[in-house]
Amino acid sequence: MTEKKALRVLFCMGINQNFFDAPREEQLEVWAAFSAMWNGIHDLPGVKVFGNMDDDQSMVGPSTGYPWTTYLLADVPDIETVHAACNLFRTTAVGSGPYKLWRYCKVEARTGRELIIQRT
């Protein structure tokens, strides 16, 4: 029986203009929601996070696509778990208001496989 390989996923996350337009108190609520989402990805069954990269010092303003604001690289067991990670943006509440995290940021999951190069 062939062992099922994990998907290698680069979660590309961008902060949008709604975050920058929000008052400071709301921005802090967004940061708390972002932290909950981030930890939620780490806590999904079978997810192994390798690392992350934040581009906030060399990129200023909203991210509408590449380059993204921050990245998270992980092995994920299946496409359903990738979808569950992305769904955290739709379901994570920001403070006690009506908004979810996806109002302030977005995610694009680049899904592939580990590239293995044999030594010769």
Side-chain angles (χ1 to χ4, degrees):
M1 188 173 220
T2 306
E3 180 185 336
K4 185 177 178 182
K5 294 282 188 181
L7 299 171
R8 180 69 43 102
V9 182
L10 181 63
F11 293 96
C12 307
M13 302 174 202
I15 304 301
N16 68 33
Q17 190 62 48
N18 288 333
F19 174 80
F20 294 101
D21 291 341
R24 181 71 177 146
E25 183 176 309
E26 189 174 337
Q27 288 178 341
L28 293 173
E29 290 176 339
V30 171
W31 179 244
F34 192 90
S35 296
M37 171 277 302
W38 190 271
N39 291 324
I41 291 175
H42 281 76
D43 294 341
L44 287 170
V47 171
K48 179 181 178 186
V49 174
F50 292 106
N52 62 69
M53 185 183 85
D54 196 3
D55 200 15
D56 69 331
Q57 291 184 327
S58 60
M59 183 197 163
V60 178
S63 177
T64 57
Y66 178 84
W68 299 91
T69 309
T70 191
Y71 305 83
L72 186 145
L73 180 64
D75 272 355
V76 179
D78 50 42
I79 195 68
E80 291 79 18
T81 305
V82 175
H83 295 164
C86 292
N87 199 46
L88 291 170
F89 285 77
R90 294 183 191 99
T91 60
T92 303
V94 175
S96 59
Y99 301 120
K100 305 294 189 224
L101 188 57
W102 69 272
R103 176 179 173 84
Y104 305 93
C105 56
K106 63 183 187 172
V107 63
E108 181 179 307
R110 305 290 304 160
T111 304
R113 61 187 175 88
E114 178 184 11
L115 176 61
I116 299 173
I117 300 172
Q118 301 295 325
R119 293 184 73 86
T120 57

